[in-house]
Amino acid sequence: MILQTKVGKKFIIVFNTINFLRNWFSGAGPLLLNRFWLVMTRYKNQKHFLVAVDCIVFGFDGQNLKILLIKRGFEPQKGKWSLMGGFVQPEESADEAASRILKGLTGLEGVYLEQLHVFSKPERDPIERTFSISYFALIDILRYQTQLNDEYHAEWFLLSEMPDLIFDHAEMVSMARKKLRYRAAMHPLLFELLPERFTIPLLQNLFEDVFETTFDKGNFSRKITSTGMLLKQKEKDKAGSKKGAFYFKLDKRHYRKNFHKVHSLVPNPGELI
Amino acid sequence: MILQTKVGKKFIIVFNTINFLRNWFSGAGPLLLNRFWLVMTRYKNQKHFLVAVDCIVFGFDGQNLKILLIKRGFEPQKGKWSLMGGFVQPEESADEAASRILKGLTGLEGVYLEQLHVFSKPERDPIERTFSISYFALIDILRYQTQLNDEYHAEWFLLSEMPDLIFDHAEMVSMARKKLRYRAAMHPLLFELLPERFTIPLLQNLFEDVFETTFDKGNFSRKITSTGMLLKQKEKDKAGSKKGAFYFKLDKRHYRKNFHKVHSLVPNPGELI
DNA sequence: ACAAAAGTGTTTCCAATACACCCATGA
DNA sequence: TCATGGGTGTATTGGAAACACTTTTGT
């Protein structure tokens, strides 16, 4: 039972039951029917929200694992430090948003970037409810360029000397550190933090910093070379000692086949949780 | 320099510079200032989106790992199978939304639920751009009640016999299976799938199904009991054999201390990725 | 008694650890 | 030639895997 009428320039069609609507629309083909059906039933009256991404950027300077933060040059929270973030735009995925934002901060592309967690407490942003999809990024600190937008200052911090952060950003960092260990136990992720050529003692520094422990240098060296993932170079780095340490490169061909051996490098793997 | 005027019933206040605005507002206290400031500068003109959650529900019937799907009883995609999902409401976090939705489907509360990944391709939902925060849930299949809303049918599927799913739900399931192995390697997660009392051969079935392999029954039994996580009960389950297998319970006191030993149960831990 | 699954005992072997030692080189 | 960090050799050991064997009990 359908009633059609006209009020001014508008047509009004009244359906008594939903099935009448479906029958009526089915003449228009299934696609159009589906579209209308969904809009009118399922998606109707649903609230829309802001969606942001925030990036936890890790770097390694040869000695220590560090994190990149920006200082807000504007209100609110002017002078406080925060992660680099921004809103997801209509035409991009969250991954694309994270890449775009990271490029804006560091000038780098092709960075290792992995989704961490969505933070979604309704009150986490005091201004307006915002979902934040957090990402952690690993960058070779030497490739990083300081050509920054002058809206914000960016600075590297030792993890032990990190300042207070806005909103729930400290929680994000804490989760990212945990996930970094967790992932690094299973995947040769940490090479993303190193330049193309690196020495084994340097690699050991990095592992020790990430896992907050120390390794026997002999065993570390033997284990990492026995994975077959590393290609020994002819040159040595003589900055660190008289004898010098050979440079290595990651062998990208054998990378995928042997990375599972990274696992054995990790102390107390079960304690990662 | 501020200009105030009145047009009809509206007051109009014009600030020459942003600093004038800040000064003027600071009399109202920092909270109000911050709120106005952010609304006017940072959040202005940002697009808002729908945010949904989708749950991948795993269960174990004693023999096989299964997944719970619902059949859509309405258009669009009527008759196709999908994960259980729904939109996040304004006053709830994504975790809370997932719990609510899962309770609606299974009647269960206190279920193990963990955030998996956000799916965010702009075109993933053909009707309107929707972010989906996926969760995986582990439930004891015996506690599950079939008192379902008659809007949809729910059914358990063997993972090997899963039907086609709508949108990108198949990708979600595939990621959830991977994450289940990954997490189970580090955490005694799989106990969530079992009833309070269970036998070791049952536990072995579950592990074998999750890790898609077989274990030596002797070694499995010895390893799992040596973790100290299990409390032997007096009764046996004689359904599976003449001799019968002792029931065990999870010792929740020693749970946290010993779960790292779960790790050694896993074959080729490095291959989990 | 026998079948069938649960669970134990025992051997083998590999790989993680510890640590002593050798190596290469600049000062 | 000696100090310094890089890297190797090697004994020890804990525990994972293999598998034969024993236990329990319904039929």
Side-chain angles (χ1 to χ4, degrees):
Chain A
M1 222 168 297
I2 301 174
L3 178 92
Q4 297 197 25
T5 182
K6 192 173 175 181
V7 178
K9 290 183 176 178
K10 292 176 189 152
F11 276 99
I12 297 181
I13 305 175
V14 180
F15 298 86
N16 282 24
T17 70
I18 273 172
N19 275 331
F20 276 107
L21 171 65
R22 289 171 57 196
N23 292 337
W24 189 81
F25 248 109
S26 57
L31 197 70
L32 186 57
L33 170 62
N34 284 352
R35 185 170 183 89
F36 265 79
W37 182 256
L38 261 194
V39 169
M40 298 190 66
T41 57
R42 183 161 153 237
Y43 293 1
K44 185 176 65 184
N45 295 327
Q46 289 296 338
K47 174 91 174 161
H48 293 60
F49 303 98
L50 288 172
V51 180
V53 302
D54 285 300
C55 300
I56 299 105
V57 183
F58 291 107
F60 180 65
D61 64 3
Q63 289 298 317
N64 296 104
L65 189 65
K66 294 186 169 178
I67 186 171
L68 191 61
L69 300 174
I70 60 172
K71 189 174 199 167
R72 294 170 73 95
F74 48 87
E75 295 294 350
Q77 311 262 31
K78 179 175 177 175
K80 277 199 100 177
W81 294 89
S82 89
L83 300 171
M84 183 67 187
F87 291 100
V88 180
Q89 299 302 311
E91 72 291 342
E92 67 186 0
S93 68
D95 289 8
E96 287 160 356
S99 296
R100 169 178 58 76
I101 284 163
L102 195 59
K103 192 186 170 193
L105 175 65
T106 64
L108 295 178
E109 293 185 85
V111 164
Y112 185 91
L113 204 52
E114 182 178 332
Q115 192 188 110
L116 179 62
H117 195 78
V118 183
F119 291 80
S120 66
K121 285 203 192 94
E123 70 283 6
R124 57 173 292 283
D125 184 323
I127 303 308
E128 181 183 346
R129 178 166 195 183
T130 305
F131 288 79
S132 170
I133 307 176
S134 54
Y135 279 79
F136 76 92
L138 303 182
I139 78 173
D140 168 6
I141 218 163
L142 300 173
R143 284 180 58 214
Y144 164 70
Q145 298 153 15
T146 45
Q147 31 171 282
L148 297 175
N149 189 322
D150 54 4
E151 255 189 293
Y152 41 74
H153 311 277
E155 211 169 289
W156 289 104
F157 284 87
L158 284 176
L159 286 164
S160 54
E161 296 170 2
M162 204 176 69
D164 282 349
L165 303 180
I166 64 164
F167 302 165
D168 49 3
H169 286 194
E171 191 186 349
M172 293 181 182
V173 172
S174 151
M175 195 180 277
R177 289 186 66 179
K178 199 168 132 185
K179 182 133 179 176
L180 179 61
R181 275 204 288 273
Y182 194 88
R183 296 287 281 134
M186 298 291 198
H187 197 279
L189 201 61
L190 297 180
F191 293 100
E192 302 289 339
L193 289 161
L194 297 172
E196 201 196 356
R197 285 195 324 171
F198 50 87
T199 64
I200 286 178
L202 186 82
L203 188 61
Q204 186 174 343
N205 274 344
L206 173 57
F207 269 78
E208 291 183 344
D209 221 34
V210 169
F211 290 105
E212 297 179 294
T213 185
T214 56
F215 298 98
D216 179 278
K217 65 191 162 111
N219 293 335
F220 186 86
S221 171
R222 220 168 321 113
K223 280 206 277 193
I224 199 80
T225 50
S226 77
T227 62
M229 290 189 333
L230 300 188
L231 287 172
K232 194 175 200 164
Q233 305 302 112
K234 284 173 189 157
E235 304 83 52
K236 282 182 167 185
D237 168 33
K238 301 207 175 169
S241 72
K242 328 266 182 181
K243 182 177 175 181
F246 280 103
Y247 283 114
F248 287 80
K249 289 185 179 179
L250 191 59
D251 182 348
K252 300 204 170 165
R253 288 172 313 164
H254 291 350
Y255 183 99
R256 293 236 154 246
K257 290 182 191 168
N258 293 286
F259 66 71
H260 62 275
K261 296 186 184 167
V262 178
H263 183 256
S264 65
L265 296 168
V266 176
N268 304 318
E271 285 176 13
L272 297 168
I273 308 184
Chain B
M1 223 168 299
I2 301 173
L3 178 91
Q4 298 195 24
T5 182
K6 193 174 176 180
V7 177
K9 290 182 175 177
K10 291 177 188 154
F11 275 100
I12 297 181
I13 304 175
V14 179
F15 298 87
N16 282 25
T17 70
I18 273 172
N19 275 331
F20 276 107
L21 172 64
R22 289 171 56 197
N23 292 338
W24 190 81
F25 249 108
S26 58
L31 198 70
L32 186 58
L33 170 61
N34 282 351
R35 185 169 183 88
F36 265 80
W37 182 256
L38 261 193
V39 169
M40 298 189 66
T41 57
R42 186 165 149 233
Y43 294 0
K44 186 176 62 182
N45 295 328
Q46 289 297 338
K47 173 92 175 162
H48 293 60
F49 303 98
L50 288 172
V51 180
V53 303
D54 285 300
C55 300
I56 300 103
V57 182
F58 290 107
F60 180 64
D61 65 3
Q63 288 299 317
N64 295 105
L65 189 64
K66 294 186 168 180
I67 186 171
L68 189 62
L69 301 174
I70 60 172
K71 188 174 200 166
R72 293 170 74 95
F74 48 86
E75 296 294 349
Q77 310 262 29
K78 180 174 176 176
K80 278 200 98 178
W81 295 89
S82 89
L83 300 171
M84 183 66 187
F87 291 101
V88 180
Q89 299 302 310
E91 71 291 343
E92 66 185 1
S93 68
D95 288 9
E96 288 160 354
S99 296
R100 170 178 58 75
I101 285 162
L102 196 58
K103 191 185 171 195
L105 175 64
T106 64
L108 296 177
E109 293 185 84
V111 164
Y112 184 91
L113 205 51
E114 182 178 331
Q115 190 185 305
L116 178 64
H117 194 79
V118 183
F119 292 79
S120 66
K121 285 202 192 93
E123 70 284 5
R124 57 174 291 284
D125 184 324
I127 304 305
E128 180 183 347
R129 176 167 197 184
T130 304
F131 289 78
S132 170
I133 307 175
S134 55
Y135 280 80
F136 74 91
L138 303 182
I139 79 173
D140 167 6
I141 219 163
L142 300 174
R143 283 180 59 214
Y144 163 71
Q145 299 153 14
T146 45
Q147 31 172 281
L148 297 174
N149 189 322
D150 53 4
E151 256 189 294
Y152 40 76
H153 311 277
E155 211 169 288
W156 289 103
F157 285 87
L158 284 177
L159 286 163
S160 54
E161 296 170 2
M162 205 176 69
D164 282 350
L165 303 180
I166 64 164
F167 302 164
D168 48 4
H169 286 193
E171 190 186 348
M172 294 181 183
V173 172
S174 151
M175 195 180 277
R177 290 185 66 179
K178 198 169 132 184
K179 182 133 180 177
L180 179 61
R181 276 203 289 271
Y182 194 87
R183 297 286 280 135
M186 297 292 197
H187 196 280
L189 201 62
L190 298 181
F191 293 100
E192 302 289 340
L193 289 162
L194 298 173
E196 201 195 358
R197 286 195 323 173
F198 50 87
T199 64
I200 288 178
L202 187 83
L203 188 60
Q204 185 174 344
N205 274 344
L206 174 56
F207 269 78
E208 291 183 346
D209 222 35
V210 170
F211 290 105
E212 296 178 296
T213 185
T214 56
F215 299 98
D216 179 277
K217 67 192 161 106
N219 293 334
F220 186 86
S221 171
R222 220 168 321 111
K223 280 206 275 191
I224 198 79
T225 50
S226 77
T227 63
M229 288 190 335
L230 300 188
L231 288 172
K232 195 175 200 163
Q233 304 304 111
K234 283 171 190 158
E235 304 83 51
K236 282 182 167 185
D237 168 32
K238 301 206 176 172
S241 71
K242 329 264 184 183
K243 181 178 177 183
F246 279 104
Y247 282 115
F248 287 81
K249 288 185 178 180
L250 191 59
D251 182 348
K252 299 206 169 164
R253 289 172 313 165
H254 291 350
Y255 183 98
R256 293 236 154 248
K257 290 181 189 167
N258 292 286
F259 63 70
H260 64 275
K261 295 186 185 167
V262 179
H263 184 257
S264 64
L265 296 168
V266 177
N268 304 318
E271 285 175 13
L272 297 168
I273 307 186

